[in-house]
Amino acid sequence: MLASQAQRHAHLVKHLQRWFGSQTKQMAPINVTEYAEAHESNARSYSRRFPVNFTRGSGIYLYDSQDNEYVDCLACAGALPMGHNHPAIKKAAIDFLNNDGPTQLLDLYSDVRIDLMDRLLAIFDEIGMKDMKLQFCAPSGADAVEAAIKLSKIVTQ
């Protein structure tokens, strides 16, 4: 057992460096279908029907280990509206991380959160929707469903 916080931090950094360092190296060829069958649950669905090993993405395109190009029609179920590695988003994310911006705060306040709120409220004001309230949901999805149910109750009562 690691005794001190410094030891735990050093241990974590070592593993992160090993993991992220290995991502830049060419992986040995493996059968991704066999590997997934051996090590993943049966919950996966897309990869069962389309067993391709993607190594990079740019815009709407994904590339496999032989550098074949595919159009990403899934776009992470809509979570990638700007595509993979959009230059402006990539730069902003790298700058944010390089400046040690807080990345996980749930609903705690931060300068980034307040800035986002200001920008969203300005958009609402521009389109005539003044006095709007913002709802920030937790990452589980359950909170989004709960908020939608509460909102529907408010609107229908």
Side-chain angles (χ1 to χ4, degrees), residues 67-86:
D67 215 30
N68 295 313
E69 183 179 79
Y70 301 81
V71 174
D72 182 6
C73 294
L74 297 176
C76 200
L80 291 174
M82 302 298 287
H84 296 271
N85 297 303
H86 187 282

Side-chain angles (χ1 to χ4, degrees), residues 9-155:
H9 182 265
H11 183 73
L12 176 62
V13 167
K14 180 180 85 175
H15 285 284
L16 289 173
Q17 287 172 337
R18 186 173 66 202
W19 166 254
F20 288 111
S22 69
Q23 296 302 301
T24 61
K25 298 174 187 166
Q26 182 66 34
M27 291 184 64
I30 61 168
N31 182 315
V32 292
T33 304
E34 289 176 7
Y35 189 83
E37 287 291 330
H39 300 288
E40 282 191 81
S41 76
N42 292 329
R44 67 194 185 287
S45 61
Y46 297 119
S47 59
R48 285 174 177 236
R49 293 182 181 92
F50 197 65
V52 176
N53 184 36
F54 295 107
T55 57
R56 63 187 180 92
S58 180
I60 64 168
Y61 300 104
L62 289 170
Y63 300 87
D64 67 15
S65 52
Q66 281 74 46
D67 215 30
N68 295 313
E69 183 179 79
Y70 301 81
V71 174
D72 182 6
C73 294
L74 297 176
C76 200
L80 291 174
M82 302 298 287
H84 296 271
N85 297 303
H86 187 282
I89 295 171
K90 190 174 180 178
K91 182 184 180 325
I94 290 169
D95 289 348
F96 184 78
L97 293 171
N98 283 339
N99 289 319
D100 294 330
T103 56
Q104 299 292 324
L105 293 175
L106 295 176
D107 69 346
L108 297 174
Y109 299 120
S110 70
D111 292 343
V112 174
R113 180 187 180 117
I114 300 302
D115 182 51
L116 174 63
M117 292 172 68
D118 283 345
R119 290 172 186 232
L120 291 173
L121 292 170
I123 292 168
F124 291 140
D125 284 347
E126 285 177 20
I127 61 174
M129 298 175 70
K130 297 187 184 301
D131 301 321
M132 294 297 294
K133 298 270 184 182
L134 301 173
Q135 170 67 44
F136 290 94
C137 298
S140 71
D143 292 325
V145 172
E146 180 183 356
I149 291 169
K150 288 177 179 177
L151 181 60
S152 66
K153 284 181 178 180
I154 291 168
V155 171

